[in-house]
Amino acid sequence: MLTIALFLFLVPVQAQNSGIDSLYRLAQSEKNLKQKLHLLNESIAHGWYYGDYDKAIRYGKESVKLARKYHFDSIASLMDNNIGITYDYKGDYPKALNHFFRALRIAERIKDKNNEADILSNIGLIYGNQGLDDKALQYHEKSLRIRRNINYQKGIAVSLNNMAIVFLNQKKFRKAIRYYHESLAIDLKLKDSIGLADDYNNLGVCYQETKEYHKSEFYQLKALELREKLRQTLGISISKLNLGVIAVKTGQFEKAANYLSEAEKIAQKLGSKETLKSIYQAQSELGEKTRDFEFAFDRLNLFNELKDELADEENIRKQTQEEMNYQFDKERENQRLNRIKEKLEDRKKQEQALIINWAIAIVGIIILGFSFILYRRWKEVKKQQVIIEQKNRQVEEKNHEILDSINYAKRIQTAILPSLQLRQRVLPSHFVLYEPKDIVAGDFYWLEETKDSIIFAVADCTGHGVPGAMMSVVCHNALNRSVKEFGLRNPGEILDKTREIIVDELSKNQQDVSDGMDISLCTWNKTSNELIWAGANNPLWIWKKTSGDMVEIKPNKQPIGKHFDMQPFTSHPVELEKGDRIYLITDGFADQFGGPDSKKFKAKNLKNLLVQISHEKIQQQIEILKTTFFQWKGNLEQIDDVCIMGIEIE
């Protein structure tokens, strides 16, 4: 069985609707430094809340360095607290304490009582996990006193809950139940779904200990229902674990096995050692009850391994050492402040002596005035040179940071494009010419394989560079949702639903945003070999092998986005024969300026080029297209992203 200790953090609305990577990218694009740091802190909290521990730690360590560099102490303390929570969930208690005590030192120094209470509570949870109940209560009581003084109702509920866990560990069940009901009453009043889920879980554990299994199951089911709505991955695992334990106790062995198996899969994915330890213990007991002794013995071994790992004496020694370091650092901080005070007094004396020396030197200054003026001018020039050099270094550093961010965005964007292995596996002979104007692009190509179809597309989002890339992520996600979430296969219906999703996403801030994308999209039925196409502003070109002609199917003249006259997109069935080739294009190639007169290449010339090289194999055509494009462009700037997909019907 597992109780839930409460780490006090409310996941913001935007974090609930985003992944940790999305939040991190949003923070990187934020120009206001303070707002950027708050977004980074939200991404760390999102990571531990939804079980993405490794990214939370990696992003957290990067972010807290930035906060310290620019002396945003309060945000740095919040970040260290969230990193500590992440390490606690991973079962690495010494590292968790290291970050908690570092956060506590800052909170005490800047007198941030709210944050100080949160950190004290989290430290208490660490000691409670190690069975040091008296020490855990000491920290929880400190936290509760602060929260009562500032009348923070949610915090009071959290402290009551966490103290009840200690009483539960001490087998003072009725006292624990009383504290849990006090916490539950506050959370009901506040309508706090997160807190209520944990209250229900913990009450269920208490009633399990008192063998009131009917009440225990009632509260655990209420907890599971809330956690599934909140997508609390770890919480879902713990609720299923506790329901599995109840089922074992009440002889419902098949139900117990299902609950415990589901809990184990989630806990293994999250790497939650504490949860896995309890799951293995419950599975071992289930094995004994069902006389599957080999399974029981195997699970008992796994339980003992994790128990030894989590209760290692070195961990406890390190925790004690961390607390000693905290007290020592606090004293050392006082000594440092005294030294600073002494230096300030010495500086005042030096300034007074300097004034006297200047008074004595006035006569000499008058005599040497001309020389002094020349000297000052020379010093000023040197000072300006130093300032210019510093500014140049700052500009270089800033440019390097921006370039690093854009290169990282490119890796992310590349990751969402279909891999070469996937394309080679599901498509026949084909090529993809993809030449972004900048490091990241607004153009992208997309591929999805379903049970009965292959759906592929080439798209051109509004803009290019970073704005275009951000738009491409929105549009890529909308296409995925249309196919995966809504199960659509007809191209016209896919484009209709994609437009609906994009317009909805871009209208959430009540601003009139007309961005969107042009697209050419095909659905190829693997069973019937039927191809259906739909397009928004971008056409489909078909080279017919029998005639050698290039046939064009016109798209709907409207984008995937807001439009003054939005009509349903038309799906076109396409008749193909062996050897025919289809081309999905964006306008980047045709619109490129170049050649002897610096004119556009034009779509007509691109069609003619494809007809001229039709004798070449489809895979060789990409090199001819690429060479032609760069020769045409010459020394001129590339004006737009380029994306062309060619497929030969086999």
Side-chain angles (χ1 to χ4, degrees):
M1 65 176 181
L2 275 185
T3 52
I4 287 290
L6 297 193
F7 294 103
L8 190 56
F9 180 85
L10 300 180
V11 177
V13 173
Q14 66 178 355
Q16 293 174 357
N17 297 326
S18 306
I20 183 172
D21 290 325
S22 299
L23 273 173
Y24 185 76
R25 288 195 299 271
L26 181 63
Q28 296 301 326
S29 66
E30 175 60 51
K31 294 182 179 179
N32 182 282
L33 181 58
K34 186 174 182 180
Q35 183 62 24
K36 178 192 192 85
L37 291 170
H38 278 300
L39 286 170
L40 288 170
N41 184 50
E42 288 181 20
S43 72
I44 305 166
H46 186 285
W48 67 253
Y49 187 83
Y50 289 108
D52 208 339
Y53 302 135
D54 292 335
K55 283 185 180 176
I57 291 169
R58 186 170 75 252
Y59 292 161
K61 289 183 176 179
E62 293 175 7
S63 303
V64 79
K65 286 181 183 177
L66 185 64
R68 292 193 198 111
K69 178 179 178 181
Y70 292 100
H71 307 294
F72 282 91
D73 292 341
S74 61
I75 304 177
S77 179
L78 293 171
M79 288 176 173
D80 267 319
N81 186 37
N82 277 318
I83 297 170
I85 294 172
T86 309
Y87 273 121
D88 186 11
Y89 274 147
K90 283 178 70 69
D92 195 336
Y93 302 133
K95 287 183 181 177
L97 275 179
N98 178 277
H99 285 279
F100 285 147
F101 280 125
R102 186 157 58 184
L104 181 60
R105 282 192 288 271
I106 298 174
E108 289 179 337
R109 175 165 55 80
I110 64 177
K111 294 181 170 51
D112 185 349
K113 291 297 180 182
N114 204 342
N115 191 28
E116 181 183 346
D118 293 347
I119 300 164
L120 287 168
S121 180
N122 294 342
I123 294 172
L125 296 174
I126 296 288
Y127 286 118
N129 288 339
Q130 289 294 294
L132 303 174
D133 293 336
D134 291 339
K135 209 161 195 59
L137 276 176
Q138 176 186 343
Y139 280 98
H140 288 319
E141 287 169 351
K142 284 182 183 178
S143 177
L144 181 59
R145 281 197 298 271
I146 294 174
R147 287 165 171 170
R148 289 194 189 279
N149 286 337
I150 62 178
N151 193 29
Y152 183 23
Q153 291 298 306
K154 177 56 195 168
I156 293 170
V158 168
S159 290
L160 290 170
N161 190 297
N162 291 338
M163 291 173 71
I165 292 174
V166 179
F167 296 135
L168 177 62
N169 293 337
Q170 294 175 333
K171 300 192 182 304
K172 299 176 181 178
F173 303 127
R174 291 304 167 188
K175 190 171 184 179
I177 289 172
R178 178 163 56 83
Y179 271 65
Y180 282 137
H181 276 294
E182 288 184 40
S183 175
L184 178 62
I186 295 173
D187 287 332
L188 284 169
K189 184 178 179 181
L190 297 175
K191 297 180 180 179
D192 178 7
S193 298
I194 297 173
L196 284 171
D198 296 329
D199 293 330
Y200 290 143
N201 178 89
N202 296 345
L203 276 169
V205 171
C206 277
Y207 283 119
Q208 182 183 321
E209 290 290 345
T210 59
K211 302 189 186 311
E212 298 174 81
Y213 296 124
H214 179 71
K215 287 184 179 180
S216 178
E217 184 178 27
F218 170 78
Y219 282 113
Q220 291 295 353
L221 287 171
K222 289 176 75 68
L224 179 59
E225 180 183 2
L226 279 175
R227 284 169 175 165
E228 287 177 336
K229 289 180 181 178
L230 295 168
R231 296 188 295 118
Q232 289 181 316
T233 313
L234 181 61
I236 293 169
S237 176
I238 291 172
S239 289
K240 290 188 175 183
L241 160 63
N242 290 336
L243 285 165
V245 172
I246 295 167
V248 172
K249 300 292 185 184
T250 56
Q252 302 175 76
F253 300 135
E254 184 176 353
K255 183 193 288 187
N258 290 335
Y259 275 131
L260 294 175
S261 176
E262 291 170 5
E264 182 185 5
K265 290 176 183 176
I266 298 172
Q268 284 179 337
K269 183 177 180 181
L270 297 177
S272 176
K273 297 177 183 178
E274 190 67 42
T275 310
L276 281 170
K277 183 186 76 171
S278 299
I279 292 169
Y280 293 148
Q281 184 181 25
Q283 288 176 328
S284 178
E285 184 179 349
L286 174 63
E288 289 185 40
K289 296 276 190 182
T290 58
R291 304 187 67 78
D292 188 348
F293 298 116
E294 183 178 352
F295 176 74
F297 181 73
D298 174 66
R299 295 290 129 164
L300 184 60
N301 282 337
L302 292 173
F303 165 76
N304 286 328
E305 288 174 7
L306 278 181
K307 180 181 178 183
D308 292 341
E309 182 179 347
L310 292 172
D312 190 277
E313 291 182 359
E314 180 65 15
N315 281 349
I316 298 175
R317 184 190 67 77
K318 287 182 180 179
Q319 293 165 21
T320 305
Q321 182 180 352
E322 288 294 337
E323 187 171 12
M324 291 171 65
N325 288 342
Y326 164 63
Q327 298 297 339
F328 172 76
D329 287 350
K330 194 171 182 180
E331 180 61 29
R332 187 168 58 182
E333 181 71 10
N334 291 333
Q335 293 175 358
R336 189 178 69 85
L337 291 173
N338 289 333
R339 286 197 301 272
I340 292 173
K341 186 177 180 182
E342 291 172 0
K343 288 181 180 179
L344 287 173
E345 291 175 354
D346 290 340
R347 185 176 294 176
K348 287 181 180 178
K349 292 177 181 179
Q350 292 172 1
E351 290 173 352
Q352 291 172 353
L354 185 62
I355 292 172
I356 296 171
N357 291 336
W358 272 108
I360 296 171
I362 286 176
V363 176
I365 292 172
I366 293 172
I367 296 171
L368 299 174
F370 184 74
S371 299
F372 179 72
I373 291 171
L374 291 176
Y375 176 75
R376 281 186 58 190
R377 288 181 179 176
W378 178 79
K379 290 286 289 183
E380 187 66 27
V381 170
K382 294 294 291 183
K383 183 179 179 181
Q384 291 299 324
Q385 288 177 344
V386 171
I387 292 173
I388 291 170
E389 289 174 359
Q390 290 175 342
K391 293 296 183 183
N392 287 338
R393 283 197 297 271
Q394 290 175 359
V395 169
E396 289 175 1
E397 290 173 359
K398 185 58 66 177
N399 287 339
H400 183 69
E401 291 175 2
I402 292 171
L403 190 59
D404 283 348
S405 296
I406 295 175
N407 282 325
Y408 188 80
K410 180 183 180 181
R411 291 200 298 272
I412 295 172
Q413 188 177 46
T414 302
I416 69 174
L417 295 176
S419 67
L420 176 62
Q421 292 82 356
L422 175 62
R423 299 196 330 253
Q424 289 177 336
R425 181 173 61 82
V426 303
L427 287 177
S429 297
H430 77 286
F431 72 81
V432 175
L433 174 61
Y434 185 63
E435 293 292 339
K437 175 186 182 297
D438 301 308
I439 297 174
V440 290
D443 282 15
F444 67 95
Y445 52 96
W446 177 82
L447 173 64
E448 187 64 35
E449 182 183 23
T450 67
K451 182 178 179 181
D452 55 354
S453 302
I454 301 169
I455 310 172
F456 52 94
V458 163
D460 180 3
C461 296
T462 306
H464 47 73
V466 173
M470 294 181 69
M471 194 66 210
S472 74
V473 172
V474 174
C475 296
H476 184 279
N477 181 56
L479 283 169
N480 282 342
R481 289 186 59 195
S482 299
V483 174
K484 294 180 179 179
E485 182 177 340
F486 296 95
L488 301 178
R489 300 292 180 266
N490 181 277
E493 294 175 356
I494 292 173
L495 295 188
D496 290 338
K497 176 55 71 173
T498 301
R499 175 173 61 189
E500 178 186 330
I501 294 170
I502 291 173
V503 170
D504 181 64
E505 288 293 326
L506 297 181
S507 302
K508 286 185 176 178
N509 60 1
Q510 298 182 348
Q511 294 183 3
D512 188 16
V513 180
S514 59
D515 294 327
M517 69 173 169
D518 300 335
I519 190 171
S520 180
L521 183 142
C522 295
T523 296
W524 193 344
N525 189 297
K526 294 184 290 186
T527 304
S528 64
N529 205 30
E530 178 187 22
L531 184 76
I532 304 176
W533 172 85
N537 287 331
N538 284 349
L540 177 68
W541 292 352
I542 307 170
W543 179 78
K544 305 297 291 183
K545 184 176 182 181
T546 54
S547 65
D549 295 329
M550 185 70 76
V551 178
E552 179 176 343
I553 302 180
K554 301 288 186 180
N556 292 94
K557 291 299 181 181
Q558 58 181 353
I560 304 297
K562 276 194 174 181
H563 188 62
F564 71 94
D565 183 23
M566 292 192 291
Q567 299 294 329
F569 286 93
T570 306
S571 295
H572 301 269
V574 181
E575 294 182 3
L576 297 172
E577 298 174 349
K578 182 177 180 181
D580 289 352
R581 294 170 180 173
I582 61 174
Y583 298 93
L584 290 72
I585 63 170
T586 62
D587 58 5
F589 197 116
D591 288 346
Q592 179 61 44
F593 289 95
D597 299 321
S598 298
K599 294 182 178 180
K600 286 187 177 182
F601 190 90
K602 295 185 179 180
K604 179 180 178 181
N605 291 329
L606 179 57
K607 279 185 185 178
N608 291 337
L609 175 61
L610 290 171
V611 172
Q612 290 170 14
I613 64 175
S614 60
H615 62 279
E616 298 286 348
K617 292 184 178 180
I618 192 79
Q619 293 90 344
Q620 274 71 56
Q621 289 188 352
I622 184 173
E623 296 302 326
I624 299 173
L625 289 170
K626 187 181 296 186
T627 301
T628 302
F629 178 80
F630 285 106
Q631 287 179 345
W632 176 263
K633 181 175 77 71
N635 295 325
L636 296 180
E637 180 184 2
Q638 184 174 336
I639 66 167
D640 201 358
D641 305 318
V642 173
C643 189
I644 302 176
M645 179 185 287
I647 300 172
E648 182 172 359
I649 306 303
E650 296 181 341

